[in-house]
Amino acid sequence: MLKFIKGNLEAIEGVSIYPIISLLIFFTFFTLLFVYVFTAKKDPINTLSEMPLNEPIKTQEDE
């Protein structure tokens, strides 16, 4: 099956640029995500992480 895909891709001019573009998008996304995670303010993150614990428990009687 790989030879069918490889044969079709060889017929397309400039197809070698697509893996490079994919790698750049992948690398850029995860680099920006890494920077965001380590520079984010801690207060909003702590507030969001405690939300499930602070919600009152609903029972069937409440509904």
Side-chain angles (χ1 to χ4, degrees), residues 3-33:
K3 66 180 179 177
F4 296 118
I5 295 171
K6 187 177 178 183
N8 289 333
L9 289 177
E10 287 176 349
I12 301 172
E13 287 187 36
V15 75
S16 62
I17 193 74
Y18 291 113
I20 296 169
I21 292 171
S22 299
L23 179 64
L24 288 174
I25 290 171
F26 176 82
F27 182 76
T28 304
F29 174 76
F30 282 104
T31 302
L32 291 174
L33 186 66

Side-chain angles (χ1 to χ4, degrees), residues 31-43:
T31 302
L32 291 174
L33 186 66
F34 181 79
V35 168
Y36 172 73
V37 166
F38 283 104
T39 60
K41 294 181 181 176
K42 303 299 181 218
D43 290 336

